[in-house]
Amino acid sequence: MITAINGTERFYTSFPRTTALSSPSSPTEGVAQAFERCHRRKRPKWLKKQQSQRRAMTVKQRPLVSEPESRFENGIDVKFGIEDLKKLPDQTGCWDGVRNYQARNFMRQMKEGQLAFFYHSNCKEPGIAGLMKIVKESYVDHTQFDRKDVHYDASSKPENPKWSMVDVQYQRTMKRYIPLSELKKYHLQHRDKGGPLKDMALFTRARLSVQPLTTEEFDFVLSLEDKEPL
């Protein structure tokens, strides 16, 4: 999961647990290695020329989700945690595989320089593991055209691509892991008595891979790393 910041602009982007990375080019290549390959890949000219459409931002923040534990999809291990991002060249990689239109539209609003939470999903203790920075704004997700990729979309065409991605760079690990269970406790408290997390999208709307997060929500969540667990 990710929450992005740039001055007063912030985002909460929560990616689906199976859609964060490029698929391996062979059965022996893991998702982390595929992500590194994606970072090094020279993209075709038509893709470079493709311009992503962006709408004006009306929310301040968002989070990005990935899976830190092994899980196989079509024979491919989709595991990718914050430590995997940290090990990549320049600690940077493309965040591909988003296949929900609303989530895609939220991601297209992310701006270079914004920060985002890296959220560990589909594991024993889901939660916020660290911070990333958006280093390249929305552009065409090449995995939609790769028949070997788990996120291949036969209905998407190069002349009119459906899906986009951003490039992210590791910034730091949280001072302490912020579990989903703790965030939910605060949400329930704030819903009853008032507080920043009372309307947090993570608990109040469908579990999109990219969700809005207000400045107040982001600041509160970030402040939790300096507090004792609830």
Side-chain angles (χ1 to χ4, degrees), residues 128-168:
I128 297 174
L131 287 168
M132 303 184 290
K133 181 169 69 174
I134 307 305
V135 294
K136 184 174 181 178
E137 296 178 13
S138 173
Y139 63 105
V140 176
D141 179 350
H142 60 273
T143 64
Q144 63 196 299
F145 309 119
D146 186 351
R147 293 178 180 274
K148 296 181 180 180
D149 196 282
V150 295
H151 305 117
Y152 170 67
D153 184 352
S155 67
S156 185
K157 306 301 179 184
E159 61 274 14
N160 186 29
K162 292 182 178 181
W163 310 112
S164 303
M165 62 184 180
V166 296
D167 285 357
V168 299

Side-chain angles (χ1 to χ4, degrees), residues 200-215:
M200 191 176 188
L202 181 62
F203 304 108
T204 60
R205 64 170 62 184
R207 296 294 294 274
L208 293 174
S209 62
V210 182
Q211 302 173 357
L213 188 70
T214 67
T215 301

Side-chain angles (χ1 to χ4, degrees), residues 2-221:
I2 297 181
T3 305
I5 318 166
N6 181 12
T8 59
E9 296 179 345
R10 311 193 180 192
F11 282 86
Y12 177 86
T13 311
S14 172
F15 280 75
R17 52 195 187 196
T18 63
T19 60
L21 309 162
S22 298
S23 296
S25 58
S26 70
T28 59
E29 181 184 23
V31 170
Q33 289 76 22
F35 201 177
E36 179 176 348
R37 172 169 51 81
C38 166
H39 175 62
R40 296 194 308 263
R41 179 178 297 169
K42 182 177 181 181
R43 295 173 177 80
K45 292 181 179 180
W46 66 262
L47 190 151
K48 292 179 180 179
K49 293 180 180 178
Q50 177 66 35
Q51 298 296 318
S52 299
Q53 296 180 345
R54 299 181 178 88
R55 298 175 299 173
M57 287 188 293
T58 56
V59 292
K60 297 294 184 181
Q61 299 154 335
R62 313 188 199 284
L64 296 171
V65 172
S66 191
E67 300 182 42
E69 298 177 1
S70 289
R71 185 179 66 80
F72 288 84
E73 182 176 338
N74 298 329
I76 296 169
D77 189 355
V78 296
K79 169 189 176 296
F80 191 84
I82 194 168
E83 291 302 316
D84 296 303
L85 175 61
K86 188 177 179 180
K87 293 175 183 177
L88 294 180
D90 299 324
Q91 299 181 323
T92 301
C94 55
W95 201 279
D96 59 46
V98 175
R99 297 297 183 265
N100 174 280
Y101 287 110
Q102 189 173 3
R104 177 206 65 185
N105 292 341
F106 281 139
M107 186 169 65
R108 285 180 174 180
Q109 297 175 21
M110 302 181 83
K111 301 298 182 182
E112 183 177 347
Q114 290 181 327
L115 295 179
F117 287 129
F118 193 119
Y119 184 89
H120 281 174
S121 180
N122 198 32
C123 54
K124 293 180 180 178
E125 186 71 273
I128 297 174
L131 287 168
M132 303 184 290
K133 181 169 69 174
I134 307 305
V135 294
K136 184 174 181 178
E137 296 178 13
S138 173
Y139 63 105
V140 176
D141 179 350
H142 60 273
T143 64
Q144 63 196 299
F145 309 119
D146 186 351
R147 293 178 180 274
K148 296 181 180 180
D149 196 282
V150 295
H151 305 117
Y152 170 67
D153 184 352
S155 67
S156 185
K157 306 301 179 184
E159 61 274 14
N160 186 29
K162 292 182 178 181
W163 310 112
S164 303
M165 62 184 180
V166 296
D167 285 357
V168 299
Q169 183 181 54
Y170 170 87
Q171 295 299 292
R172 68 177 178 86
T173 301
M174 299 292 282
K175 295 176 184 177
R176 74 173 180 89
Y177 190 77
I178 311 297
L180 175 64
S181 57
E182 182 176 348
L183 292 174
K184 186 173 183 178
K185 289 178 182 178
Y186 278 110
H187 163 65
L188 295 175
Q189 283 185 5
H190 294 180
R191 187 187 62 182
D192 294 338
K193 301 179 180 179
L197 303 192
K198 62 184 177 66
D199 297 318
M200 191 176 188
L202 181 62
F203 304 108
T204 60
R205 64 170 62 184
R207 296 294 294 274
L208 293 174
S209 62
V210 182
Q211 302 173 357
L213 188 70
T214 67
T215 301
E216 291 75 18
E217 289 168 345
F218 177 85
D219 290 343
F220 182 84
V221 172

